[in-house]
Amino acid sequence: MKILITGATGLLGSNLVRLLVDRGYPVGIFVHTRSYKTTLQNLPVKKHFGDILDMESVEAAVQEYDILVHAAAITDYWPSRSKKIREVNIEGTRNIINAVKKFNLRRLIYIGSGIASNTPYSKQPSQTILPFAGAKYRLDYVDSKYIALQLVLNAARQDAVPALAILPTFMIGPYDSLPTSGKLILALARQKLKFYTRGGRNFVDVRDVATAIANSIEKGQIGKYYITGNENLTYKEFFEKVTNVLGVPAPPYLLSDSITKFAGIVGSLKGGLLGSKPFMSYPAAKVACDKIYFNCNDAVDELEMPQTPIETAIKECYDWLNANQHLI
């Protein structure tokens, strides 16, 4: 089976491409010319350059393949409201669905985000379906990923499109070329992060998510989404894991929710006035105050997703960043 991956140059895509190549699959990548990075150099993959919003270039690539993994998205929290984010994440996904239908692909694997699922966030997470919990953040990234997820699930349930969804939580690991989550590791390594909030996230090794995706080529239920994560940790607990692995002091100061949100308000105002990305926007501050926890048992049971210790993911991320001169 030939597999095409959109968004292949990111943290997840770079790890997924390697895993699929190691498993012997013929792999193609669909990338924007501005997005091609060195993390995929020297790999035996076919490159298709195009734009997710250009249906002609999407169809030209998709028609050659059996399986499509759609990971392309804009994941920025700033600006909070953005026409471009909505277009790429929603209309780009719609284009992918239409191409999969047109060329009768065997499976569409949509890569979403745990924060954009129906699953409620709570101290004791469940799989109960409730109204969209992430809407309260008023972030077009989160809203658009939720809408895109509904497009995929509806296509599976109503139009018989052979699609399922993988929704990663906060991923950590090697080949983080921007870096993305690696920025947090770098800040802690350089001892530039002095504060932590009361919130928390579900953290996962990116290679565990890649394994779940690779397994979903043959496993998993059509029309279902799988939240792919591992440990629910407060930021204090996560920062302590990072600093223990790196041998540096943990951030000493706890910020109250009110101070965190006030800093977010100031950041949003400055960002709007100066036209630059703030250190923390108000929506991002609200996210930082919440415990966004998940139950990931379905992915473990049905997709045979590993549960690598978070300390291992932290060390692999740090070692890759160090080897690629991000610490200089």
Side-chain angles (χ1 to χ4, degrees):
M1 286 183 291
K2 298 175 66 176
I3 302 171
L4 179 68
I5 304 171
T6 72
T9 60
L11 169 63
L12 177 57
S14 295
N15 283 276
L16 177 61
V17 168
R18 283 171 168 78
L19 177 59
L20 293 175
V21 168
D22 287 345
R23 289 191 179 187
Y25 288 107
V27 176
I29 60 174
F30 181 84
V31 292
H32 200 286
T33 51
R34 294 193 302 270
S35 299
Y36 188 64
K37 296 182 177 66
T38 57
T39 54
L40 297 179
Q41 281 185 347
N42 303 318
L43 292 177
V45 298
K46 184 172 182 178
K47 302 176 186 68
H48 303 267
F49 292 99
D51 188 325
I52 201 81
L53 297 176
D54 174 24
M55 195 61 188
E56 184 176 345
S57 64
V58 170
E59 290 185 352
V62 169
Q63 63 183 323
E64 297 183 26
Y65 294 87
D66 306 298
I67 308 290
L68 198 158
V69 180
H70 177 42
I74 298 178
T75 60
D76 295 337
Y77 275 19
W78 184 265
S80 304
R81 295 304 194 192
S82 164
K83 180 181 177 182
K84 185 65 174 178
I85 290 174
R86 294 193 302 272
E87 285 180 343
V88 169
N89 294 354
I90 298 171
E91 299 308 319
T93 300
R94 198 189 309 274
N95 286 346
I96 288 294
I97 293 170
N98 288 336
V100 168
K101 290 166 65 175
K102 181 174 180 178
F103 296 108
N104 296 311
L105 269 64
R106 293 180 57 177
R107 182 161 290 199
L108 166 61
I109 303 168
Y110 168 74
I111 310 303
S113 174
I115 198 173
S117 71
N118 280 344
T119 306
Y121 317 140
S122 67
K123 204 162 189 178
Q124 296 181 334
S126 71
Q127 293 286 53
T128 305
I129 303 302
L130 293 178
F132 173 43
K136 66 179 180 178
Y137 299 123
R138 299 182 62 80
L139 283 164
D140 270 347
Y141 162 63
V142 177
D143 294 350
S144 65
K145 293 297 282 182
Y146 173 76
I147 294 169
L149 173 62
Q150 302 315 306
L151 289 176
V152 172
L153 297 180
N154 288 337
R157 295 164 183 169
Q158 299 172 13
D159 300 331
V161 175
L164 56 77
I166 303 292
L167 311 185
T169 60
F170 193 90
M171 296 180 288
I172 304 163
Y175 302 106
D176 192 1
S177 58
L178 284 178
T180 52
S181 58
K183 288 181 181 178
L184 198 53
I185 308 298
L186 289 174
L188 291 163
R190 294 165 174 161
Q191 300 182 50
K192 291 186 175 181
L193 190 60
K194 302 298 182 182
F195 303 94
Y196 63 93
T197 65
R198 297 183 186 276
R201 300 289 285 267
N202 183 285
F203 297 86
V204 66
D205 189 313
V206 66
R207 292 160 299 183
D208 291 352
V209 179
T211 300
I213 296 168
N215 291 348
S216 73
I217 293 169
E218 300 286 355
K219 300 178 184 294
Q221 299 179 40
I222 297 302
K224 181 172 179 176
Y225 70 78
Y226 294 87
I227 298 178
T228 50
N230 188 351
E231 283 195 71
N232 292 314
L233 300 167
T234 64
Y235 289 117
K236 183 176 189 293
E237 291 169 336
F238 174 70
F239 291 168
E240 287 173 348
K241 284 181 181 288
V242 174
T243 54
N244 286 338
V245 170
L246 304 187
V248 296
Y253 303 113
L254 170 65
L255 288 183
S256 68
D257 289 358
S258 58
I259 292 176
T260 301
K261 291 176 182 178
F262 178 74
I265 291 170
V266 173
S268 287
L269 289 173
K270 288 179 66 176
L273 289 172
L274 301 177
S276 58
K277 184 177 181 179
F279 174 75
M280 181 186 292
S281 66
Y282 181 57
K286 291 197 293 182
V287 171
C289 291
D290 282 351
K291 292 182 172 65
I292 305 175
Y293 293 166
F294 295 103
N295 180 323
C296 305
N297 289 343
D298 281 1
V300 173
D301 295 341
E302 298 181 33
L303 303 180
E304 299 181 5
M305 181 180 71
Q307 297 283 263
T308 301
I310 300 305
E311 291 86 349
T312 301
I314 292 166
K315 185 177 187 308
E316 293 288 342
C317 175
Y318 176 81
D319 288 348
W320 189 88
L321 293 170
N322 190 27
N324 287 271
Q325 301 184 325
H326 283 282
L327 290 171
I328 294 175

